[in-house]
Amino acid sequence: MSSIKQAPWQADALLLLVTVVAAGGWIFSKEALVGMPPLLFIGTRFLLAGLILLGFSWPALRRMPLRRVRRGLLVGVLFSAAIAFWVLGLHYSDHLGESAFINSLGILLVPVVARLLFGDRPPRSTWIALPIALLGFALLSLNAGFRVEASQLLMVCAALCFALLINVNTRVVRNVPALPLTTLQLISVGVVLTGLSLVVEHQPLALSPSILSWFMASVLLASSLRFFLQIKAQGMTTPSHAAVILMLEAVWTALFAAWWFGETMTALQLLGCSLIFMALLINRWYWVRKVLLRWLPGGNPSR
């Protein structure tokens, strides 16, 4: 029986909810950054979220060998680099929808990084999808007047770091349960980036009730709840199946940004984002087809 066929509809529903909550996190974060320095915002956000998840994962962490705890914390340092690039890109971005699609390139780059660093052989679909994604990014750069904006470059760096992080997670800490691992990494990110903020950031805080509300929404909804639901859903299905649905985060982000900030896309931006999303679908086509067959009436995912 196909592993997709075994995945219950509850997993799909939870993963869809995760993409909506994650997309909302872009809005929460952008609003909170109005009154908080970016590294301080993301560091304290992840630290608080990690401490919340610690209440759920403590029994498993107590039984975990010390070497695995150390590995989880060390991989969290790599996560710190990825999320630092992300929040700086978000801070300087004038178009959240575009930034979300650029950040989603990390999914496409996972097999490329695996090939370069670990000698894995990517599927043929990766080499078909990659030039399409690069063309999409080039169109986004053309929209800025034949130049790459700082926010775009930072999001590309974040995508590369996330691709490396996914590869390292599957190799270095593959035997660590998902919830304790996520807790360790969130706490590690929180400690590293909060400490770094105290050294390099000197922007004044403007913690109005509104900013505090956006910050707490980021902590409770976009971090703690999002990761808790994602871990639960991924435990009910296969990683490839989950990855297909999680790609929708960029689409939701663009829609939410259009609704909340009144963002619109030029023809070049729309085409560039569409090409990036097409590349993601091509790269995951085997699993995309499985998901579509599962959802369509009369579909047979085992074919």
Side-chain angles (χ1 to χ4, degrees):
M1 181 182 294
S2 168
S3 57
I4 285 292
K5 193 171 183 179
Q6 294 174 355
W9 67 267
Q10 292 95 333
D12 292 352
L14 280 176
L15 288 167
L16 283 172
L17 179 59
V18 166
T19 63
V20 173
V21 174
W26 287 72
I27 307 297
F28 305 155
S29 299
K30 189 66 173 177
E31 292 284 11
L33 287 172
V34 173
M36 297 184 70
L39 294 180
L40 180 63
F41 160 72
I42 202 68
T44 53
R45 167 185 161 178
F46 272 54
L47 183 58
L48 287 175
L51 292 175
I52 291 171
L53 290 183
L54 183 62
F56 297 93
S57 61
W58 180 246
L61 281 171
R62 288 184 61 185
R63 297 191 299 270
M64 190 179 299
L66 184 59
R67 67 181 185 279
R68 292 187 180 177
V69 174
R70 285 199 299 265
R71 287 179 182 177
L73 291 172
L74 287 174
V75 174
V77 176
L78 176 58
F79 193 5
S80 300
I83 206 68
F85 281 124
W86 176 83
V87 76
L88 290 171
L90 180 64
H91 179 64
Y92 291 111
S93 175
D94 294 322
H95 204 291
L96 265 64
E98 175 187 282
S99 296
F101 277 97
I102 295 174
N103 187 65
S104 68
L105 287 171
I107 299 173
L108 178 62
L109 293 172
V110 169
V112 178
V113 171
R115 173 64 175 173
L116 293 175
L117 297 184
F118 303 105
D120 291 359
R121 187 182 297 275
R124 184 182 304 173
S125 58
T126 297
W127 305 119
I128 299 173
L130 191 59
I132 296 174
L134 292 176
L135 177 58
F137 180 71
L139 291 176
L140 294 178
S141 301
L142 288 173
N143 185 71
F146 297 96
R147 64 185 175 87
V148 178
E149 295 180 344
S151 62
Q152 294 173 332
L153 185 59
L154 287 165
M155 283 297 174
V156 169
C157 291
L160 284 168
C161 288
F162 280 124
L164 178 59
L165 176 66
I166 293 170
N167 275 284
V168 171
N169 268 337
T170 59
R171 289 168 170 81
V172 177
V173 287
R174 68 174 63 187
N175 296 320
V176 180
L179 184 57
L181 175 61
T182 301
T183 302
L184 290 172
Q185 292 187 352
L186 290 182
I187 291 175
S188 181
V189 170
V191 171
V192 170
L193 294 187
T194 301
L196 183 61
S197 170
L198 296 176
V199 174
V200 303
E201 289 184 325
H202 306 287
Q203 302 175 35
L205 284 174
L207 293 181
S208 65
S210 174
I211 297 299
L212 280 173
S213 298
W214 290 116
F215 173 73
M216 291 310 299
S218 298
V219 172
L220 298 175
L221 299 179
S223 295
S224 299
L225 180 63
R226 176 261 180 94
F227 284 112
F228 184 82
L229 292 178
Q230 184 171 328
I231 291 166
K232 182 177 178 63
Q234 287 178 326
M236 299 163 64
T237 187
T238 64
S240 295
H241 182 87
V244 171
I245 300 176
L246 292 174
M247 288 191 303
L248 294 174
E249 178 184 338
V251 178
W252 287 119
T253 302
L255 292 174
F256 287 174
W259 167 61
W260 190 255
F261 295 115
E263 288 187 1
T264 58
M265 287 193 181
T266 65
L268 279 179
Q269 284 178 311
L270 186 59
L271 181 57
C273 291
S274 298
L275 286 174
I276 290 173
F277 191 65
M278 183 189 302
L280 294 173
L281 292 177
I282 292 172
N283 188 49
R284 294 282 183 174
W285 179 245
Y286 174 80
W287 292 100
V288 169
R289 180 174 175 273
K290 291 281 189 181
V291 172
L292 291 176
L293 288 173
R294 173 180 170 79
W295 287 353
L296 291 174
N300 181 7
S302 63
R303 286 186 300 176

